[in-house]
Amino acid sequence: MMAMVRRHLLITSLTVSLVAVGAVFAAVLGLLPAALLPVAPSVVLAAIPHVNAILSTTAIVTIVLAVRAIRRGDVVRHRRLMLTTVGLFTAFLVLYLYKVIIVGPVAFRGPTAVYERIYLPVLAVHITLAVVCIPFVAHALLLGLTHEVRELYQTRHLLVGRIGAALWLISFALGNLVYLLAYIIY
């Protein structure tokens, strides 16, 4: 399986990216039927944004630690931390999609001026970076999983990984700001 992925790395990266982004947009646009999913108790649904904020914050930490690890030459730690970040992101995405499918997107309850001048611009940049980072992250991940460490230096893993990690980091941070504005401050 990994040999096939390695031979078709670009198309696999794009396919994974399109599926992930497509699932998010399908959920937000109400194209995924809620009737297919069991409905969790309201206390669980209410907890999802807070759990996701913890997952996002933890992902920020794991990305930063992974970057530090690779700069120090600790490839094993870097790999573990980046795989942990992927796991955190996957958990975040599953919970986010579930909540959006069952309840719908969150409505901002703050003042109109804050909504228009702060919340919407931050949300727009967060969403844009989240969408743009997915192909970079998917490609870097698949390169890392399908190549030996010594081979990675002959690939675009470093470049793609740097871009993906930076965009991912900013997107997670802005997502936390959106969370604070939507669930804590207002």
Side-chain angles (χ1 to χ4, degrees):
M1 176 74 167
M2 282 300 181
M4 186 177 82
V5 170
R6 183 177 170 147
R7 281 193 309 277
H8 305 286
L9 199 62
L10 186 57
I11 193 72
T12 305
S13 299
L14 291 175
T15 302
V16 168
S17 301
L18 288 174
V19 168
V21 172
V24 171
F25 279 100
V28 170
L29 296 173
L31 302 175
L32 300 176
L36 296 177
L37 298 172
V39 178
S42 58
V43 67
V44 172
L45 291 170
I48 288 174
H50 309 296
V51 170
N52 273 352
I54 293 167
L55 292 172
S56 293
T57 302
T58 307
I60 290 168
V61 172
T62 57
I63 292 170
V64 169
L65 291 175
V67 169
R68 284 184 56 201
I70 202 62
R71 285 184 178 160
R72 293 179 176 164
D74 192 344
V75 175
V76 173
R77 182 171 166 80
H78 170 77
R79 179 177 277 195
R80 284 185 190 141
L81 287 163
M82 290 313 289
L83 288 173
T84 299
T85 306
V86 169
L88 292 165
F89 172 69
T90 302
F92 171 93
L93 190 59
V94 167
L95 289 171
Y96 173 78
L97 291 176
Y98 176 77
K99 184 173 184 298
V100 168
I101 291 168
I102 298 297
V103 180
V106 66
F108 183 74
R109 294 185 180 102
T112 303
V114 173
Y115 177 74
E116 292 172 350
R117 294 185 188 133
I118 299 172
Y119 184 80
L120 274 183
V122 169
L123 181 62
V125 173
H126 162 66
I127 290 170
T128 301
L129 292 179
V131 169
V132 170
C133 84
I134 294 296
F136 289 97
V137 170
H139 197 66
L141 174 67
L142 291 173
L143 279 167
L145 292 174
T146 59
H147 289 74
E148 296 294 325
V149 173
R150 62 179 166 26
E151 295 175 314
L152 285 175
Y153 296 102
Q154 274 65 61
T155 70
R156 294 192 176 267
H157 180 79
L158 176 62
L159 174 64
V160 173
R162 276 185 180 168
I163 295 168
L167 296 175
W168 217 9
L169 190 63
I170 297 166
S171 176
F172 275 127
L174 291 176
N176 279 350
L177 181 54
V178 167
Y179 161 78
L180 288 172
L181 289 168
Y183 290 96
I184 303 300
I185 298 171
Y186 299 105

